[in-house]
Amino acid sequence: EETSKARFARRNTGTMASGFGLRGGIGRCYPFFADYKECLKEETSKDGVVCFMQREDYFECLHNRREFTMVKMVNDQAAKLEKEKGEGSGGGGGGGDH
């Protein structure tokens, strides 16, 4: 069965800036935009609380902030472990008779 994302994207590709990706077809973030737009049609609150998650997903697709933050955290942790590994391997404590 066709999902609502696919059905909406197929019907309404002209409603976003262009709706098309760099190599044709729909843009990579268009399904997120379509979900957000559908939610806004049913939004009842003025502050956008109901559609907050759809908005966040759309903005993450556009800007990748969460992804960049996670990559930075992973890289920082890897550097920290490498530094600790380098400090811990310097002489003493090994190779003697027990």
Side-chain angles (χ1 to χ4, degrees), residues 33-64:
F33 171 76
D35 272 353
Y36 182 46
K37 183 176 176 180
E38 279 295 311
C39 183
L40 287 174
K41 287 180 182 178
E42 299 171 13
E43 177 74 57
T44 56
S45 65
K46 298 261 186 227
D47 58 0
V49 173
V50 175
C51 298
F52 181 77
M53 293 306 294
Q54 288 87 344
R55 180 184 181 276
E56 287 295 305
D57 288 343
Y58 176 53
F59 276 55
E60 173 60 21
C61 182
L62 290 173
H63 305 292
N64 300 315

Side-chain angles (χ1 to χ4, degrees), residues 13 16 22 30 34-35 41 45-46 50 59 68 84 87 92 96:
T13 52
M16 201 166 122
L22 292 173
Y30 188 77
D35 272 353
K41 287 180 182 178
S45 65
K46 298 261 186 227
V50 175
F59 276 55
F68 292 147
E84 289 173 2
E87 289 174 0

